[in-house]
Amino acid sequence: MSDSVKDRPSRVNDKPSRAEKTRLTRRRIVAAAADLFLGEGYGATTLDQVAARAGVAVQTVYFHFGNKATLLKEALDVAAVGDDEPVALLDRPWLEEVTAEPDPARIIELWMNVGLEILGRVAPLLAVVRATMGTDPDLAAQWEANEAERRTAFRALAGMLADRAALRPGLTVDDAADLGFLISSAENYILSTGALGWSPERWRNTTATLLAQALLGETPS
Amino acid sequence: MSDSVKDRPSRVNDKPSRAEKTRLTRRRIVAAAADLFLGEGYGATTLDQVAARAGVAVQTVYFHFGNKATLLKEALDVAAVGDDEPVALLDRPWLEEVTAEPDPARIIELWMNVGLEILGRVAPLLAVVRATMGTDPDLAAQWEANEAERRTAFRALAGMLADRAALRPGLTVDDAADLGFLISSAENYILSTGALGWSPERWRNTTATLLAQALLGETPS
């Protein structure tokens, strides 16, 4: 953190700014909450436990997040992008690389590399959400928001493939988006790496092959 | 309870036997429980409500089923086979038809017809299980038992396709079973008919095509 002060010498002293301290505190609380949700389950986790693990007063947790559902949402957002910068997933540099790629099959590969990264971080928390949403309307809404974001992303993928005239004959962009969303769902990741015992890489490779078959009409090799 | 004595004065009349009455009572309780789980949610449903809806005393519910998790298991079993006969799904006549079919693509079609029937009945209850299992270890066990049964079924399908030398080159029976299980998962049915808004028939047709591509190596048309 002292580095960042050197970067901005005008702040005069070498202490972290108030904004930086707030951000570090929030980050610590979110990380503690994520650990507890995964270890103890969402229902069993209390805000007191979160505060204790983060080393802050429980009032601080309430002040920053208000309730447990907000904490889970923050934890999911952090997991989705891998940091707590306020930059949405679809505004990140990886998408530029995908957009610049001419080869449709390679687009799917790059897409699935990113999908693997994201789901590797997000899936454990998503599994918590999914298994608890029946008893918590906030979590059900969270799950739906997450699914809606994923659908938007797959519409972008289908559009890129259509721009390259790569969709197999008869397949509309909308149908391609739906198919892509379904084939590479978070549910399938959870099922593959859980019940089936696949490595995350096997899930990625299998899913990329299924996507190429279904969207591009490639014959499996 | 005094009624039951009046009902069977001599056992030589045309009234239902004791065994039949018991079965009807159990059936009514299970149907009431299924309705309530779907309408009110599993967590919110009480055995008192189940008893009231079934028109029996709550002690009768306890006597026959003991607890809510057992009721859910019964409801799932009834939904899976479509009746309450004690005959397992893989011992039913439909499997004979599939086994006798020589054409691999047709085997997948027949398989998906049955899959559609089963999931059409089971999926709403499975969605209840899935959304509640994080707060109830009995439900988590129920979900896993259900998944294990589905895996067994897909091993049978993969075996039939292998017997006809129909699996695409390089695909083992085990891998084919895993792929089939994944592609036509209950999760995908719930996602397709829920978030994607597909008709059950669209799910069946899409899934049959994906299966033919992935298992038989058919080029999509």
Coordinates of all heavy atoms in Angstrom, one line a residue, chain B residues 11 20-21 44 58 88 92 122 133 140 144 146 157 160 173 201 203:
Chain B
R11 N -65.6 -58.7 6.3 CA -64.6 -58.8 5.3 C -65.1 -59.6 4.1 O -64.4 -60.0 3.2 CB -63.3 -59.6 5.8 CG -62.7 -58.9 7.0 CD -61.2 -59.1 7.1 NE -60.5 -58.9 5.9 CZ -60.1 -57.8 5.4 NH1 -60.3 -56.7 6.1 NH2 -59.4 -57.7 4.3
E20 N -56.0 -52.2 0.6 CA -56.3 -51.2 -0.4 C -56.6 -49.9 0.3 O -56.2 -48.8 -0.2 CB -57.6 -51.7 -1.1 CG -57.3 -52.6 -2.3 CD -58.6 -53.4 -2.7 OE1 -59.6 -53.2 -2.0 OE2 -58.5 -54.2 -3.6
K21 N -57.3 -49.9 1.4 CA -57.5 -48.6 2.1 C -56.2 -48.0 2.6 O -56.1 -46.8 2.4 CB -58.4 -48.9 3.3 CG -59.9 -49.1 2.9 CD -60.8 -49.3 4.1 CE -61.0 -47.9 4.9 NZ -62.0 -48.1 5.9
A44 N -41.6 -24.5 4.3 CA -42.8 -23.9 4.9 C -43.9 -24.9 5.1 O -44.9 -24.6 5.8 CB -43.4 -22.7 4.0
V58 N -53.1 -36.0 11.9 CA -51.7 -35.9 11.7 C -50.9 -37.1 12.2 O -49.9 -37.5 11.7 CB -51.1 -34.6 12.4 CG1 -51.2 -34.7 13.9 CG2 -49.7 -34.2 11.9
A88 N -39.5 -50.9 -10.1 CA -38.4 -49.9 -10.3 C -38.5 -49.4 -11.8 O -38.9 -50.2 -12.7 CB -37.1 -50.4 -10.0
R92 N -39.3 -51.6 -15.9 CA -40.6 -51.4 -16.5 C -40.6 -51.7 -18.0 O -39.5 -51.7 -18.7 CB -41.0 -49.9 -16.3 CG -41.1 -49.5 -14.8 CD -42.3 -48.9 -14.5 NE -42.6 -48.9 -13.1 CZ -43.8 -48.7 -12.5 NH1 -44.8 -48.4 -13.3 NH2 -43.9 -48.7 -11.2
V122 N -41.2 -35.3 -12.5 CA -40.3 -35.2 -11.4 C -39.6 -33.8 -11.2 O -39.4 -33.4 -10.1 CB -39.1 -36.3 -11.6 CG1 -38.0 -36.0 -10.6 CG2 -39.7 -37.7 -11.4
M133 N -31.7 -28.2 -0.4 CA -30.8 -29.2 0.1 C -29.6 -28.6 1.0 O -29.1 -29.3 1.8 CB -30.2 -30.2 -0.9 CG -29.4 -29.6 -2.0 SD -29.1 -30.8 -3.3 CE -28.0 -29.9 -4.3
A140 N -30.2 -33.3 0.7 CA -29.0 -33.5 0.0 C -28.8 -35.0 -0.4 O -28.4 -35.3 -1.5 CB -27.8 -32.9 0.8
E144 N -28.7 -36.8 -4.1 CA -27.6 -37.7 -4.5 C -28.0 -39.0 -4.9 O -27.6 -39.6 -5.9 CB -26.5 -37.8 -3.4 CG -25.5 -36.6 -3.5 CD -24.6 -36.5 -2.3 OE1 -24.2 -37.6 -1.8 OE2 -24.2 -35.4 -1.9
N146 N -30.9 -39.7 -6.2 CA -31.6 -39.5 -7.5 C -30.5 -39.4 -8.6 O -30.7 -40.0 -9.7 CB -32.4 -38.2 -7.4 CG -33.6 -38.3 -8.3 OD1 -33.4 -38.2 -9.5 ND2 -34.7 -38.5 -7.8
L157 N -27.8 -47.1 -21.1 CA -28.0 -46.5 -22.5 C -26.6 -46.6 -23.2 O -26.6 -47.1 -24.4 CB -28.4 -45.0 -22.4 CG -28.4 -44.3 -23.8 CD1 -29.5 -44.9 -24.7 CD2 -28.6 -42.8 -23.6
M160 N -26.0 -50.1 -24.4 CA -26.8 -50.5 -25.6 C -26.3 -49.9 -26.9 O -26.2 -50.6 -27.9 CB -28.3 -50.0 -25.4 CG -29.1 -50.8 -24.5 SD -30.9 -50.3 -24.6 CE -30.9 -49.2 -23.1
V173 N -17.4 -46.6 -23.2 CA -18.8 -46.7 -22.6 C -18.9 -45.8 -21.4 O -19.9 -45.1 -21.2 CB -19.1 -48.2 -22.2 CG1 -20.4 -48.3 -21.5 CG2 -19.1 -49.1 -23.5
E201 N -41.1 -30.3 -25.0 CA -40.8 -31.0 -26.2 C -39.5 -30.4 -26.9 O -38.7 -31.1 -27.5 CB -42.0 -30.9 -27.2 CG -43.1 -31.7 -26.8 CD -43.9 -31.1 -25.6 OE1 -43.8 -29.9 -25.3 OE2 -44.5 -31.9 -24.8
W203 N -37.0 -29.1 -25.2 CA -35.9 -29.7 -24.5 C -35.6 -31.1 -25.0 O -34.4 -31.4 -25.2 CB -36.3 -29.7 -23.0 CG -35.3 -30.5 -22.2 CD1 -34.0 -30.1 -21.8 CD2 -35.4 -31.9 -21.8 NE1 -33.4 -31.1 -21.1 CE2 -34.2 -32.2 -21.1 CE3 -36.4 -32.8 -21.9 CZ2 -34.0 -33.5 -20.6 CZ3 -36.2 -34.1 -21.4 CH2 -35.0 -34.4 -20.7

